[in-house]
Amino acid sequence: MSITFFSFAQNQKIWYKLSRTSPFNLSTFLAKIDYSNLPDDNIQKFVGVNKPFNNVSYEPADLVPLQWRSHISAQARHTFRKEAADALEKMANAFYNEFWTNIVIASAYRSYGYQKNSISESCKQSWRCAREWESEHQLWLAVDLWEATNEEKFMSKYQKYYDWLHDNAHLYWFHQSYQHWREFDGYYIEPRHWRYLGTWLATKLREKNITFTQYVNLSNSQNK
Ligand SMILES: [Zn+2]
């Protein structure tokens, strides 16, 4: 009984907090940024189903290795943009303080060519996998954590880690890109996939419970 009551009380508290931040004012919330036209090396660059990224040779100048960063584990060598790597390390330290275990990188940067060759024909037919021109992994700003698996399997193994990320990742300006299903984000829900956004926007999106894709779509419709 006490657990149920506690959850209920917590939810009421959260709802109270959220309701105090309303009313939702779209025009003040939306930044005047033209996401369709940002330079490739802009940290806020948007890539998605409706916004292909065809710069096959893209490589930003500020790449650093993720190895040897505290409380980040990876089986392979990964590079990441420096600002995002610093933020990821801070997040991993906070995560470690909570769980006494490292954040594990299952996948980070994936090139256009790799994405093109690695996805199977069956995968291409669905919205399970990003095509080579729509993957955030090309930006050196996105990671898949622990295991590149589907929502159900991921949650059965890593629910408590996910819950922590859901509550805290935005403080380090990371965002779960695919969380509201295909109609909104173009893909299945991916609790493993976190993308660095580099601004307060990550916190705003978390607060309003919308994804970057939804935000960009709203932003575009407002700017028309
Ligand atoms: Zn991913």
Coordinates of all heavy atoms in Angstrom, one line a residue, residues 83-127:
E83 N 32.8 18.8 -27.1 CA 31.8 19.3 -26.2 C 30.8 18.2 -25.7 O 30.4 18.1 -24.6 CB 31.0 20.4 -27.0 CG 30.0 21.1 -26.1 CD 29.2 22.2 -26.9 OE1 29.8 22.8 -27.8 OE2 28.0 22.3 -26.7
A84 N 30.4 17.4 -26.7 CA 29.5 16.3 -26.3 C 30.2 15.2 -25.4 O 29.6 14.7 -24.5 CB 29.0 15.6 -27.6
A85 N 31.5 15.0 -25.7 CA 32.2 14.0 -24.9 C 32.4 14.5 -23.5 O 32.2 13.7 -22.5 CB 33.6 13.8 -25.5
D86 N 32.6 15.8 -23.3 CA 32.7 16.4 -22.0 C 31.4 16.2 -21.2 O 31.4 15.9 -20.0 CB 33.1 17.9 -22.1 CG 34.6 18.1 -22.6 OD1 35.3 17.1 -22.6 OD2 34.9 19.2 -22.9
A87 N 30.3 16.5 -21.9 CA 29.0 16.4 -21.3 C 28.7 15.0 -20.9 O 28.1 14.7 -19.9 CB 27.9 17.0 -22.2
L88 N 29.0 14.1 -21.8 CA 28.8 12.6 -21.6 C 29.6 12.2 -20.4 O 29.1 11.4 -19.5 CB 29.2 11.8 -22.8 CG 28.9 10.3 -22.8 CD1 27.4 10.1 -22.7 CD2 29.4 9.7 -24.1
E89 N 30.8 12.6 -20.2 CA 31.6 12.2 -19.1 C 31.0 12.8 -17.8 O 30.9 12.0 -16.8 CB 33.0 12.8 -19.2 CG 33.9 12.3 -18.1 CD 35.4 12.7 -18.4 OE1 35.6 13.8 -19.0 OE2 36.3 12.1 -17.8
K90 N 30.5 14.0 -17.8 CA 29.8 14.5 -16.6 C 28.6 13.7 -16.3 O 28.3 13.4 -15.1 CB 29.4 16.0 -16.9 CG 30.5 17.0 -16.7 CD 30.0 18.4 -16.7 CE 31.1 19.4 -16.8 NZ 31.0 20.4 -17.9
M91 N 27.8 13.3 -17.3 CA 26.7 12.5 -17.0 C 27.0 11.2 -16.5 O 26.4 10.6 -15.6 CB 25.8 12.4 -18.3 CG 24.5 11.6 -18.2 SD 23.4 11.9 -19.6 CE 24.0 10.7 -20.7
A92 N 28.1 10.6 -17.1 CA 28.6 9.3 -16.6 C 29.0 9.3 -15.1 O 28.8 8.4 -14.4 CB 29.7 8.8 -17.5
N93 N 29.7 10.4 -14.8 CA 30.1 10.5 -13.4 C 28.9 10.6 -12.4 O 28.9 9.9 -11.4 CB 30.9 11.8 -13.2 CG 32.3 11.6 -13.7 OD1 33.0 10.6 -13.3 ND2 32.9 12.5 -14.5
A94 N 27.9 11.3 -12.8 CA 26.7 11.4 -12.0 C 26.0 10.1 -11.9 O 25.5 9.6 -10.9 CB 25.7 12.5 -12.6
F95 N 26.0 9.4 -13.1 CA 25.3 8.0 -13.2 C 26.1 7.1 -12.2 O 25.5 6.3 -11.5 CB 25.4 7.6 -14.6 CG 24.8 6.2 -14.8 CD1 23.4 6.1 -15.1 CD2 25.6 5.1 -14.8 CE1 22.9 4.8 -15.3 CE2 25.0 3.8 -15.0 CZ 23.7 3.7 -15.2
Y96 N 27.4 7.2 -12.3 CA 28.2 6.3 -11.4 C 27.9 6.5 -9.9 O 27.8 5.6 -9.1 CB 29.7 6.5 -11.7 CG 30.6 5.5 -11.0 CD1 30.8 4.3 -11.5 CD2 31.1 5.9 -9.8 CE1 31.6 3.4 -10.9 CE2 31.9 4.9 -9.1 CZ 32.2 3.7 -9.6 OH 32.9 2.8 -9.0
N97 N 27.8 7.8 -9.6 CA 27.4 8.1 -8.2 C 26.1 7.5 -7.7 O 25.9 7.2 -6.5 CB 27.4 9.6 -8.0 CG 28.8 10.2 -8.0 OD1 29.8 9.6 -7.8 ND2 28.8 11.5 -8.3
E98 N 25.2 7.3 -8.7 CA 23.9 6.7 -8.3 C 24.0 5.1 -8.3 O 23.5 4.5 -7.4 CB 22.9 7.1 -9.4 CG 21.5 6.6 -9.2 CD 20.8 7.3 -8.0 OE1 21.2 8.4 -7.6 OE2 19.9 6.7 -7.5
F99 N 24.7 4.6 -9.3 CA 24.6 3.1 -9.5 C 25.9 2.4 -9.3 O 25.9 1.1 -9.3 CB 24.1 2.8 -10.9 CG 22.7 3.2 -11.2 CD1 22.5 4.3 -12.0 CD2 21.6 2.6 -10.6 CE1 21.2 4.8 -12.3 CE2 20.3 3.0 -10.9 CZ 20.1 4.1 -11.7
W100 N 27.0 3.1 -9.1 CA 28.3 2.5 -8.9 C 28.7 1.5 -10.1 O 29.3 0.5 -9.9 CB 28.4 1.7 -7.6 CG 28.3 2.7 -6.5 CD1 27.1 2.9 -5.8 CD2 29.3 3.6 -5.9 NE1 27.3 3.9 -4.8 CE2 28.6 4.3 -4.9 CE3 30.6 3.8 -6.2 CZ2 29.3 5.3 -4.2 CZ3 31.3 4.7 -5.4 CH2 30.6 5.5 -4.4
T101 N 28.3 2.0 -11.3 CA 28.7 1.3 -12.5 C 28.8 2.3 -13.6 O 28.2 3.4 -13.5 CB 27.6 0.2 -12.8 OG1 28.1 -0.6 -13.9 CG2 26.3 0.7 -13.2
N102 N 29.5 1.9 -14.6 CA 29.8 2.8 -15.8 C 28.6 2.9 -16.7 O 27.9 1.9 -16.9 CB 31.0 2.4 -16.5 CG 32.3 2.6 -15.7 OD1 32.3 3.3 -14.7 ND2 33.4 2.2 -16.3
I103 N 28.5 4.0 -17.5 CA 27.7 4.0 -18.7 C 28.4 3.3 -19.8 O 29.6 3.5 -20.0 CB 27.4 5.5 -19.0 CG1 26.2 6.0 -18.2 CG2 27.1 5.6 -20.5 CD1 25.8 7.4 -18.5
V104 N 27.7 2.4 -20.5 CA 28.4 1.6 -21.5 C 27.9 2.0 -22.9 O 26.7 2.1 -23.2 CB 28.0 0.1 -21.3 CG1 28.7 -0.8 -22.4 CG2 28.5 -0.4 -19.9
I105 N 28.9 2.3 -23.7 CA 28.6 2.7 -25.1 C 28.6 1.5 -26.0 O 29.5 0.8 -26.2 CB 29.8 3.6 -25.7 CG1 30.1 4.8 -24.7 CG2 29.4 4.2 -27.0 CD1 29.1 5.8 -24.5
A106 N 27.4 1.2 -26.5 CA 27.2 0.1 -27.5 C 27.6 0.6 -28.9 O 28.1 -0.2 -29.7 CB 25.8 -0.4 -27.4
S107 N 27.3 1.8 -29.2 CA 27.5 2.4 -30.5 C 27.6 3.9 -30.4 O 26.8 4.5 -29.6 CB 26.4 1.9 -31.5 OG 26.7 2.4 -32.8
A108 N 28.4 4.5 -31.2 CA 28.4 6.0 -31.2 C 28.4 6.5 -32.7 O 27.4 6.3 -33.3 CB 29.6 6.5 -30.4
Y109 N 29.6 6.9 -33.2 CA 29.6 7.4 -34.5 C 29.4 6.2 -35.5 O 30.1 5.2 -35.4 CB 30.9 8.1 -34.8 CG 31.1 8.4 -36.3 CD1 30.3 9.3 -36.9 CD2 32.0 7.6 -37.0 CE1 30.5 9.6 -38.3 CE2 32.2 7.9 -38.4 CZ 31.4 8.8 -39.0 OH 31.6 9.1 -40.4
R110 N 28.6 6.4 -36.5 CA 28.5 5.4 -37.6 C 28.4 6.2 -38.9 O 27.6 7.1 -39.0 CB 27.2 4.6 -37.5 CG 27.2 3.7 -36.2 CD 26.2 2.5 -36.4 NE 24.9 2.9 -36.5 CZ 24.0 3.0 -35.4 NH1 24.5 2.8 -34.2 NH2 22.8 3.3 -35.6
S111 N 29.3 5.9 -39.8 CA 29.4 6.7 -41.1 C 28.2 6.4 -42.0 O 27.5 5.3 -41.8 CB 30.7 6.4 -41.8 OG 30.6 5.0 -42.3
Y112 N 28.1 7.2 -43.0 CA 27.1 7.0 -44.0 C 27.3 5.6 -44.6 O 26.3 4.8 -44.8 CB 27.3 8.1 -45.1 CG 26.3 8.2 -46.2 CD1 25.2 9.1 -46.1 CD2 26.4 7.4 -47.3 CE1 24.3 9.2 -47.2 CE2 25.5 7.4 -48.3 CZ 24.4 8.4 -48.3 OH 23.5 8.5 -49.3
G113 N 28.5 5.3 -45.0 CA 28.8 4.0 -45.6 C 28.5 2.8 -44.7 O 27.9 1.8 -45.2
Y114 N 28.9 3.0 -43.5 CA 28.6 1.9 -42.5 C 27.2 1.6 -42.4 O 26.7 0.5 -42.4 CB 29.3 2.2 -41.2 CG 29.0 1.2 -40.1 CD1 30.0 0.2 -39.9 CD2 27.8 1.2 -39.3 CE1 29.7 -0.8 -38.9 CE2 27.6 0.2 -38.4 CZ 28.6 -0.8 -38.2 OH 28.3 -1.7 -37.2
Q115 N 26.4 2.7 -42.2 CA 25.0 2.6 -42.0 C 24.3 2.0 -43.3 O 23.5 1.1 -43.2 CB 24.4 4.0 -41.8 CG 23.0 4.0 -41.2 CD 22.9 3.8 -39.7 OE1 23.9 3.7 -39.1 NE2 21.7 3.6 -39.2
K116 N 24.8 2.4 -44.4 CA 24.3 1.9 -45.7 C 24.5 0.3 -45.8 O 23.7 -0.4 -46.2 CB 25.0 2.6 -46.8 CG 24.4 2.3 -48.2 CD 25.0 3.1 -49.3 CE 24.4 2.7 -50.6 NZ 25.0 3.4 -51.7
N117 N 25.8 -0.1 -45.4 CA 26.1 -1.5 -45.6 C 25.6 -2.4 -44.5 O 25.4 -3.6 -44.7 CB 27.6 -1.6 -45.7 CG 28.2 -1.0 -46.9 OD1 27.5 -0.9 -47.9 ND2 29.4 -0.5 -46.8
S118 N 25.4 -1.8 -43.3 CA 25.1 -2.7 -42.2 C 23.6 -3.0 -42.0 O 23.3 -4.0 -41.4 CB 25.6 -2.1 -40.9 OG 24.9 -0.9 -40.6
I119 N 22.8 -2.2 -42.6 CA 21.4 -2.5 -42.4 C 20.9 -3.5 -43.4 O 21.2 -3.4 -44.6 CB 20.5 -1.2 -42.3 CG1 20.6 -0.4 -43.5 CG2 20.8 -0.4 -41.1 CD1 19.7 0.9 -43.5
S120 N 20.1 -4.4 -42.9 CA 19.6 -5.5 -43.8 C 18.5 -5.0 -44.7 O 17.9 -3.9 -44.4 CB 19.2 -6.7 -43.0 OG 18.0 -6.3 -42.3
E121 N 18.2 -5.7 -45.7 CA 17.0 -5.4 -46.6 C 15.7 -5.3 -45.8 O 14.9 -4.4 -46.0 CB 16.9 -6.4 -47.7 CG 17.9 -6.3 -48.8 CD 17.9 -4.9 -49.5 OE1 16.8 -4.3 -49.7 OE2 18.9 -4.3 -49.7
S122 N 15.5 -6.3 -44.9 CA 14.3 -6.3 -44.1 C 14.2 -5.0 -43.2 O 13.1 -4.5 -43.0 CB 14.2 -7.5 -43.2 OG 15.3 -7.6 -42.3
C123 N 15.4 -4.6 -42.7 CA 15.4 -3.5 -41.9 C 15.0 -2.2 -42.6 O 14.4 -1.3 -42.2 CB 16.8 -3.4 -41.3 SG 17.0 -2.4 -39.9
K124 N 15.5 -2.1 -43.9 CA 15.2 -1.0 -44.7 C 13.7 -0.8 -45.0 O 13.3 0.3 -45.2 CB 15.9 -1.1 -46.1 CG 17.4 -0.9 -46.0 CD 18.0 -1.1 -47.4 CE 19.5 -1.1 -47.3 NZ 20.2 -1.5 -48.5
Q125 N 13.0 -1.9 -44.9 CA 11.6 -1.8 -45.2 C 10.8 -1.2 -44.1 O 9.6 -0.9 -44.2 CB 11.0 -3.2 -45.6 CG 11.7 -3.9 -46.7 CD 11.8 -3.1 -48.0 OE1 10.9 -2.4 -48.3 NE2 13.0 -3.1 -48.6
S126 N 11.4 -1.2 -42.9 CA 10.6 -0.7 -41.8 C 11.1 0.6 -41.2 O 12.0 1.2 -41.8 CB 10.6 -1.8 -40.7 OG 11.9 -1.8 -40.1
W127 N 10.6 0.9 -40.1 CA 11.1 2.1 -39.4 C 11.9 1.7 -38.2 O 12.0 2.4 -37.2 CB 10.0 3.1 -39.0 CG 8.7 2.7 -39.4 CD1 8.1 2.8 -40.7 CD2 7.7 2.0 -38.6 NE1 6.9 2.3 -40.7 CE2 6.6 1.7 -39.4 CE3 7.7 1.5 -37.3 CZ2 5.5 1.1 -39.0 CZ3 6.6 0.9 -36.8 CH2 5.5 0.6 -37.7

